[in-house]
């Protein structure tokens, strides 16, 4: 009943169901008194639609953190005249007594309740109302459903400390459940008498008693003519159990597997027991003996075992007792037994730890009800993905996604699953994965980060995100990813490696995205978080990747985003800039990132007055002579000053240094740069540079802007010629050439830029007819 992640497009039914559930009010429902959801009176929905609505709702609440559960959701299905339910699967804390109570008039055929720990004995009474129609029922892991709360009698007010106590219900049986054929009581609470509970059922076909200890299972023989499936996972068996099982001659599926780590088992499997099963259970197509220790050798001599081509013919079986099978088994569970490593195993599907196929079969078979086994199987898959190459990549990915979704709160699965995802999504597998599948991976990774503050899970999840193209592949979850990463970076105690990866991801996420994205992330506290990290590093006197990435991220997030520039200034960003310059005078990469960011701040007219202090202007002027990182630091310092100069002499509100002196140093700097410099910079728009062209107040700013354009169109014509043309740069340059105030050398350079762009246009004209 587990939903596998699929790689085919979603059906229209699924898309509509999803849309309706996310917009109940406005599609199927209206709000009564502003609080209770009610179905519109003219709606009539068949069970195909209602079942899907309920099952998808449970799935969404469980796996989508953004989806809000509704208090009154189940009451929408209370009236069988407008809605019909037939087959529903409810899980975990999502469902409570009142939810089942709400749908008690429905004629349910199949009801699966998995790990619904909030259900109490009230729900046992509700089950009775489905008794005349139920064919299949699971109460797996519903550990409180046989408990009711009892008020101790004759108690005055002083009893309020413990007004209720849990009492086991002993008188409930399946009396009246005349159609029930399939029943799962896995992990049933001790103290319930299974025999009495089940006796009224006339003809059971499938029974699951996983995790229950029963010394006497003689009562099972009452269904020897009807029982086709029996699961006794983790039951400590004895000779009596084996004799009873051997009488259930109709069995097609038998599971006596166990978790070999869970406790000490006295029972050991022997050759005789397997022979007994093969002789008596002639219809057997599926057998699971995982986790068992074989008491004696039931394999054939190794010389014979290795002979010939691998075969699933019973006659050639390496496991002697299975030579008596009439045909190969459909499934044979041998996980964590020595038998799975043999050559000839007479089954189409084997779970084991020998190879990828066996491991995937194990994950598939055990995910839903046996997370303790599944996490070990995923661990084996992790090793295969890490060391060898996965041959069934899609299947492996889908199984891991399903396990992570199903066991969101299971630490072992989250750790091993997130580690496996890292290897299964890396670049060598990239081509084989569809957009849809990669999105499913991102969703479960983010779920893991959200529900697990555990270091290993967080690290694995962050590393897995690094396998994706950022920001493109993460854009559909943009807000959420950023919130999660900022949350990691704001934790007081931090793991150094996670911090580094998270800052790297944050930086990549704000690079090359639209301004509204940057503004949204700024409002989430991005600027503040980065400055805090920088402050911590300064205090430790370390300039590492985290320090450099943090400045780089600030550079990216302030690009053409005035709100974020303002935030940078308001949170003492300039003070940190000066301190970093002083503490790390040799760190070129750092200087480049810091000045790139200040270039963005200087582009905002309203903020420039805050840069107009003797201290800052002196620092920028001195950095004009910097040879750090090629020309980048000098170029950016000159850019900052160009914007400040553009405001004219009256904005120069300081005595030292003189405006003319700074202008002179700017000319000298620009003339010292090599026009063919390859650049460490990426312009998405020339607008801030172009606005420096049509003005006479600061010829040096005009010259810096023209130099910048000339350099970029010469070195990267394919990228920057079209951008300059598109943004209307050519007419601006032509006008500037006519200006009297512009310097001769600036005009010369402007002519070369125009020439470059027209040559580029001619070369790239489409001449095909």
């Amino acid at each position: 009943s587990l939903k596998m992640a699929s790689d085919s497009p979603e059906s229209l039914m699924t898309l509509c169901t999803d849309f309706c559930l996310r917009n109940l009010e406005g599609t199927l429902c209206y709000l009564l008194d502003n609080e209770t959801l009610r179905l519109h009176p003219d709606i009539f929905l068949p069970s195909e639609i209602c079942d899907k609505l309920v099952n998808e709702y449970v799935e969404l609440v469980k796996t989508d953190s953004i989806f809000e559960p509704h208090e009154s959701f189940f009451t929408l299905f209370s009236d069988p005249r407008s809605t019909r339910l037939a087959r529903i699967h409810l899980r975990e804390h999502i469902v409570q007594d009142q939810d089942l109570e709400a749908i008690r008039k429905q004629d349910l055929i199949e009801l699966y309740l998995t790990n619904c720990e909030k259900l109490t004995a009230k729900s046992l009474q509700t089950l009775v109302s489905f008794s005349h129609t139920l064919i299949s029922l699971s109460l797996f892991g519903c550990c409180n459903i046989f408990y009711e709360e009892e008020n101790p009698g004759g108690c005055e007010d002083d009893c309020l400390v413990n007004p209720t106590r849990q009492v086991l219900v002993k008188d409930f049986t399946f009396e009246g459940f005349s159609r029930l054929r399939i029943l799962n009581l896995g992990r049933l609470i001790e103290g319930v008498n299974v025999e009495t509970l089940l006796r009224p059922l006339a003809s059971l076909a499938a029974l699951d008693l996983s995790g229950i200890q029963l010394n006497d299972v003689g009562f099972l023989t009452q269904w020897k003519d009807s029982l086709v499936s029996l699961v006794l996972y983790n039951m400590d068996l004895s000779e009596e159990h084996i004799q009873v099982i051997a009488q259930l001659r109709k069995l097609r599926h038998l599971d006596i597997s166990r978790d070999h780590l869970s406790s000490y088992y006295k029972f050991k499997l022997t050759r005789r027991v397997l022979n007994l099963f093969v002789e008596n259970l002639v219809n057997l197509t599926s057998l699971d003996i995982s986790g068992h220790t074989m008491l004696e050798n039931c394999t054939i001599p190794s010389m014979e075992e290795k002979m010939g081509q691998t075969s699933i013919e019973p006659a050639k079986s390496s496991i002697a007792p299975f030579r008596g099978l009439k045909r190969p088994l459909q499934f044979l569970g041998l996980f964590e037994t020595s038998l799975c490593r043999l050559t000839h195993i007479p089954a189409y599907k084997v779970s084991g730890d020998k190879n990828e196929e066996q491991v995937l079969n194990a994950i598939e078979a055990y995910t839903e009800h046996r997370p303790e086994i599944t996490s070990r199987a995923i661990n084996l898959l992790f090793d295969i993905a890490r060391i060898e190459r996965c041959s069934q990549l899609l299947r492996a990915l889908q199984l891991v996604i399903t396990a992570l979704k199903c066991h969101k709160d299971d630490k072992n699965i989250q750790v091993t699953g997130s580690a496996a995802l890292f290897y299964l999504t890396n670049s060598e597998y990239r081509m084989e994965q569809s957009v849809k599948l990669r999105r499913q991976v991102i969703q479960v990774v983010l779920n893991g980060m959200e529900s697990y503050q555990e270091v290993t899970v967080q690290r694995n999840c962050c590393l897995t995100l690094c396998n994706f193209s950022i920001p493109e592949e993460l854009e559909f979850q943009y807000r959420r990813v950023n919130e999660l990463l900022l949350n990691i970076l704001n934790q007081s105690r931090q793991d150094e490696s996670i911090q580094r990866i998270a800052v790297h991801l944050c930086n990549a996420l704000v690079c090359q995205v639209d301004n509204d994205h940057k503004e949204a992330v700024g409002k989430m506290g991005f600027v503040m978080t980065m400055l805090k990290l920088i402050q911590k590093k300064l205090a430790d006197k370390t300039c590492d990747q985290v320090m450099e990435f943090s400045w780089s991220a600030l550079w990216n997030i302030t690009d053409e985003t005035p709100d974020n520039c303002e935030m940078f200034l308001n949170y003492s960003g300039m003070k940190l800039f000066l301190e970093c310059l002083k503490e790390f005078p040799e760190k070129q990469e750092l200087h480049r990132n810091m000045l790139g960011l200040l270039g963005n701040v200087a582009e905002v007219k309203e903020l420039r007055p805050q840069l107009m202090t003797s201290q800052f202007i002196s620092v920028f002027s001195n950095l004009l002579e910097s040879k750090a990182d090629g020309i980048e630091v000098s170029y950016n310092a000159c850019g900052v000053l160009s914007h400040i100069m553009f405001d004219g002499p009256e904005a120069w509100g300081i005595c030292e240094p003189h405006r003319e002196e700074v202008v002179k140093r700017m000319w000298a700097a620009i003339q010292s740069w090599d026009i063919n410099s390859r650049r460490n910079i990426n312009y998405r728009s020339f607008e801030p540079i172009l606005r420096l062209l049509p003005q006479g107040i600061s010829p040096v700013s005009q010259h810096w802007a023209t130099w910048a354009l000339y350099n970029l169109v010469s070195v990267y014509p394919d990228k920057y010629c079209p951008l300059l043309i598109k943004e209307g740069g050519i007419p601006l340059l032509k006008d500037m050439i006519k200006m009297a105030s512009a310097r001769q050398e600036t005009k010369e350079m402007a002519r070369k830029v125009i020439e470059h762009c027209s040559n580029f246009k001619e070369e790239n004209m489409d001449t095909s007819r």
Side-chain angles (χ1 to χ4, degrees), residues 541-580:
K541 296 192 179 338
T542 39
C543 180
D544 56 4
Q545 279 185 314
V546 171
M547 173 72 105
E548 285 178 11
F549 283 156
S550 301
W551 279 109
S552 176
L554 287 171
W555 181 6
N556 282 319
I557 201 170
T558 51
D559 176 37
E560 294 189 42
T561 316
D563 288 4
N564 291 341
C565 293
E566 188 173 3
M567 250 184 258
F568 170 79
L569 292 178
N570 291 348
Y571 297 140
S572 320
M574 289 304 287
K575 180 170 171 285
L576 285 176
F577 158 67
L578 292 173
E579 287 173 3
C580 285

Side-chain angles (χ1 to χ4, degrees), residues 49-252:
I49 291 177
C50 292
D51 289 351
K52 198 158 173 63
L53 282 167
V54 169
N55 295 336
E56 285 297 320
Y57 170 80
V58 171
E59 186 78 9
L60 277 175
V61 175
K62 192 167 161 12
T63 59
D64 189 335
S65 63
I66 302 159
F67 183 78
E68 286 293 320
H70 294 278
E71 194 78 331
S72 49
F73 178 76
F74 285 90
T75 57
L76 302 177
F77 303 91
S78 56
D79 187 353
R81 287 170 303 188
S82 54
T83 54
R84 290 285 168 88
L85 289 174
R87 297 178 168 82
I88 58 173
H89 299 197
L90 311 178
R91 353 181 120 254
E92 296 173 24
H93 60 272
I94 297 161
V95 59
Q96 307 188 24
D97 291 328
Q98 63 267 29
D99 299 324
L100 271 191
E101 174 71 15
I103 57 169
R104 71 182 185 286
K105 291 183 181 159
Q106 294 284 358
D107 292 338
L108 291 184
I109 294 169
E110 186 175 292
L111 173 61
Y112 287 175
L113 302 170
T114 308
N115 296 324
C116 299
E117 295 180 0
K118 288 198 172 173
L119 298 182
T120 71
K122 289 193 184 107
S123 288
L124 281 183
Q125 294 318 309
T126 310
L127 284 183
V128 176
S129 48
F130 308 127
S131 59
H132 56 295
T133 52
L134 265 188
I135 292 173
S136 180
L137 171 67
S138 168
L139 300 178
F140 181 88
C142 299
C143 52
N144 294 311
I145 201 163
F146 278 88
Y147 278 117
E148 63 185 348
E149 293 185 343
E150 183 178 270
N151 240 333
C155 173
E156 292 304 316
D157 294 343
D158 60 348
C159 228
L160 287 174
V161 189
N162 182 12
T164 55
R165 60 195 179 99
Q166 299 280 316
V167 182
L168 197 61
V169 172
K170 298 205 169 163
D171 55 356
F172 177 84
T173 72
F174 286 110
E175 186 67 58
F177 286 71
S178 55
R179 303 181 64 182
L180 198 61
R181 297 286 176 274
I182 300 168
L183 179 61
N184 184 340
L185 294 176
R187 301 216 180 135
L188 185 70
I189 197 78
E190 268 184 52
V192 177
N193 186 324
V194 179
E195 184 176 348
T196 317
L197 188 66
L198 299 181
R199 192 177 293 121
L201 298 174
S203 43
L204 264 186
L207 180 62
D208 187 327
L209 299 173
S210 295
I212 302 172
Q213 292 311 325
L214 294 177
N215 296 328
D216 179 11
V217 290
F219 64 90
L220 293 176
T221 54
Q222 66 178 314
W223 299 294
K224 64 179 192 294
D225 297 325
S226 63
L227 206 61
V228 292
S229 169
L230 178 64
V231 178
L232 304 176
Y233 169 70
N234 266 354
M235 189 182 288
D236 198 8
L237 304 171
S238 65
E239 185 53 40
E240 288 74 37
H241 289 79
I242 300 303
Q243 291 309 324
V244 169
I245 292 168
Q247 293 174 55
L248 307 174
R249 292 172 173 270
K250 290 276 194 330
L251 277 186
R252 291 203 290 270

Side-chain angles (χ1 to χ4, degrees), residues 355-357 360 381 384-385 388-396 424 429 432:
N355 53 29
E356 183 184 349
E357 171 68 19
L360 292 176
L381 175 65
I384 294 167
E388 308 162 35
R389 193 185 151 79
C390 266
S391 52
Q392 303 183 45
L393 175 73
L394 286 184
R395 186 178 171 215
L424 293 170
Y429 297 125
E432 303 168 47

Side-chain angles (χ1 to χ4, degrees), residues 699-735:
V700 73
S701 305
Q702 219 172 28
H703 193 66
W704 175 82
T706 313
W707 190 96
L709 296 174
Y710 185 30
N711 164 258
L712 293 166
V713 298
S714 317
V715 183
Y716 307 103
D718 294 356
K719 178 169 183 180
Y720 290 120
C721 286
L723 184 64
L724 185 60
I725 295 164
K726 182 175 139 227
E727 295 196 337
I730 305 299
L732 285 172
L733 287 163
K734 285 181 174 165
D735 290 347

Side-chain angles (χ1 to χ4, degrees), residues 307-349:
M307 276 169 53
Q309 290 240 290
T310 308
S311 166
I312 60 166
E313 285 308 309
K316 292 183 180 165
S317 170
S318 303
I319 307 165
F322 293 149
R323 290 194 160 186
L325 289 167
K326 303 278 180 291
R327 67 197 79 78
L329 294 168
Q330 292 297 323
F331 177 84
L332 178 57
L334 299 175
F335 189 69
E336 295 180 321
T337 67
S338 54
L339 301 178
C340 70
R341 295 191 191 87
L342 297 168
T343 311
H344 309 294
I345 301 176
Y348 293 102
K349 222 175 195 181

Side-chain angles (χ1 to χ4, degrees), residues 531-672:
L531 289 170
K532 271 193 202 147
L533 289 173
I534 291 166
Q535 202 158 12
K536 268 190 207 154
K537 293 290 170 192
L538 246 175
D540 299 342
K541 296 192 179 338
T542 39
C543 180
D544 56 4
Q545 279 185 314
V546 171
M547 173 72 105
E548 285 178 11
F549 283 156
S550 301
W551 279 109
S552 176
L554 287 171
W555 181 6
N556 282 319
I557 201 170
T558 51
D559 176 37
E560 294 189 42
T561 316
D563 288 4
N564 291 341
C565 293
E566 188 173 3
M567 250 184 258
F568 170 79
L569 292 178
N570 291 348
Y571 297 140
S572 320
M574 289 304 287
K575 180 170 171 285
L576 285 176
F577 158 67
L578 292 173
E579 287 173 3
C580 285
L581 261 186
K582 193 169 157 210
E583 185 64 51
F584 309 111
E586 302 305 312
K587 294 285 185 183
Q588 306 197 353
E589 180 86 356
L590 183 70
H591 295 186
R592 176 180 69 110
N593 292 345
M594 295 196 301
L595 276 150
L597 151 72
L598 292 181
N600 292 338
V601 177
E603 286 169 13
V604 185
K605 186 174 174 50
E606 302 72 43
L607 301 178
R608 284 201 284 271
Q610 297 191 48
L611 303 179
M612 199 64 241
T613 71
S614 290
Q615 190 184 21
F616 294 152
I617 299 294
S618 299
V619 168
F620 298 141
S621 305
N622 291 335
L623 286 167
L624 288 169
E625 269 102 69
S626 166
K627 293 284 169 276
D629 203 15
I631 66 164
E632 296 303 331
V633 171
S634 178
Y635 170 89
N636 279 323
C638 201
V640 172
L641 290 166
S642 294
H643 289 289
I644 290 171
M645 292 292 170
F646 173 63
D647 292 335
E650 64 279 5
W652 197 266
I654 54 172
C655 307
E656 282 292 316
H658 289 301
R659 190 170 186 267
E660 286 63 43
E661 184 195 324
V662 177
V663 169
K664 225 160 72 191
R665 292 178 78 174
M666 287 166 74
W667 280 108
I670 300 171
Q671 276 150 351
S672 74

Side-chain angles (χ1 to χ4, degrees), residues 276-293:
L276 193 69
F277 288 163
V278 170
E279 281 163 31
N280 289 281
L281 310 177
V282 292
N283 298 314
L284 213 55
T285 60
S286 166
L287 173 66
D288 203 329
I289 54 172
S290 295
H292 275 279
T293 318

